[in-house]
Structures are given as structure tokens and as C-alpha cells.
Amino acid sequence: LIEYLLALEDSNKELFDNSIDPCDDSKEYMLALIKYFSNIYTNVDFSIAAAIAQIESGYTAQSMLNKNNIFGGMSGGSLIRYKNIEYGILRYIKLLSEGYFGKGLTTVESIGRVYNPTFNEQGVKIAKPSWVSKVNNALDEFSNIDINIGIAEVLTLKSI
């Protein structure tokens, strides 16, 4: 169903308006969505996905929540906007699945070489060391968490 909806968006853009419902949901709800979508895209490591979002937005950066973008995804020099937080997190996990984990980039360092690169003294492209350090520190918060979650449990955390 998810793949169908994503394909429908690409083929029938007029069905998807540009209105945005800014996120006012809790960090717990956003983490539940990351868990849920990581269970669908099983090659994505939940703890890495959650840690990246933690250091990029803290799950509280209003400028990012207004665009439903907790991971700092950019296009054309500005943050990508998503209709709602559910769709923004789905696209984030799909990006990680296809653009990183699906290409064998499964460590913070290998992801960082693409996601947040810099060049060392020898001119070799590497992950920005400060970004790697921050993500690795955030990993502790998200390690050893049971990621099995159903949609009913996710919805109990949704702000109304």
C-alpha cells in the first residue's frame, strides 16, 4: 500500500495538494513512527534513524516541525516540506532504506560521507567528524529499544 501511494504521488501530483499541517506531536509519537516505518523498511536501523533525527531536529526544532521534516532533508537550498509528520517520516525512512542502507551504507560513518560530508587534509571525502560524534552519542538513547510496534499503539501517541 505504501509503495502504491508513493507511486500515485509521483504520477498524479494534482491529487496531493500543497497544504501543510505543521507538526505539534510529541517526540514519542515521532519515534513510534520511526519504529513503525523501520519495521516496514526492515533494512533501516531504527537506532541510527532515530539518532540522526535527534541531532538534526531534536524533535523540537519548530522551523523543521513546521515543514514536517525532522531529518534536515534539503532540496534547492531549503528544507523539504511534507504535508504532515507521518508522510515526512515515511519519506525519511524510505530515503534511508533506498539511498543509504540499501546501498550498503550501514554505519554512521558511511552514511555521513553522503549525508554530511567534508574533506580531510588529503582531499578525501569523509563524514564530518563532529556530526559522526553527535550521532554516535545520540545512539545510546535509542539502543536496546524494542521496535516492534503496531499501528494501534502508534495512534495512541498521536496528539489530538
Side-chain angles (χ1 to χ4, degrees), residues 107-120 124-133:
T107 65
V108 173
E109 291 78 10
S110 64
I111 291 168
R113 269 194 307 278
V114 176
Y115 192 91
N116 198 344
T118 191
F119 293 90
N120 66 14
V124 175
K125 187 177 180 182
I126 61 169
K128 189 177 285 184
S130 61
W131 185 86
V132 170
S133 176

Side-chain angles (χ1 to χ4, degrees):
L1 179 59
I2 289 173
E3 292 301 321
Y4 169 77
L5 290 173
L6 295 172
L8 185 62
E9 179 191 28
D10 289 338
S11 65
N12 294 296
K13 292 197 182 295
E14 66 276 0
L15 294 176
F16 297 82
D17 67 27
N18 290 326
S19 65
I20 292 182
D21 183 17
C23 178
D24 63 356
D25 291 295
S26 68
K27 176 180 178 177
E28 291 73 23
Y29 179 65
M30 290 180 257
L31 286 170
L33 289 169
I34 294 172
K35 287 180 189 179
Y36 184 76
F37 292 127
S38 293
N39 282 318
I40 294 170
Y41 293 95
T42 58
N43 64 334
V44 174
D45 181 313
F46 161 78
S47 60
I48 290 177
I52 291 171
Q54 172 72 29
I55 65 115
E56 293 294 339
S57 70
Y59 300 98
T60 60
Q62 202 57 53
S63 61
M64 296 174 91
L65 294 179
N66 286 341
K67 296 180 180 188
N68 298 303
N69 179 335
I70 62 168
F71 66 99
M74 304 285 286
S75 179
S78 57
L79 282 172
I80 300 170
R81 300 168 14 141
Y82 298 102
K83 184 172 183 64
N84 54 48
I85 196 63
E86 294 83 4
Y87 190 66
I89 291 175
L90 167 62
R91 294 301 290 195
Y92 169 51
I93 299 303
K94 184 174 174 32
L95 169 69
L96 287 176
S97 175
E98 294 175 356
Y100 296 87
F101 288 91
K103 294 181 176 178
L105 306 175
T106 59
T107 65
V108 173
E109 291 78 10
S110 64
I111 291 168
R113 269 194 307 278
V114 176
Y115 192 91
N116 198 344
T118 191
F119 293 90
N120 66 14
E121 300 80 31
Q122 293 78 33
V124 175
K125 187 177 180 182
I126 61 169
K128 189 177 285 184
S130 61
W131 185 86
V132 170
S133 176
K134 289 176 186 175
V135 174
N136 281 330
N137 288 337
L139 277 174
D140 290 340
E141 181 178 345
F142 305 108
S143 296
N144 302 317
I145 292 179
D146 181 12
I147 66 164
N148 294 313
I149 192 166
I151 194 64
E153 187 179 347
V154 172
L155 293 174
T156 64
L157 298 169
K158 174 83 174 141
S159 296
I160 296 180

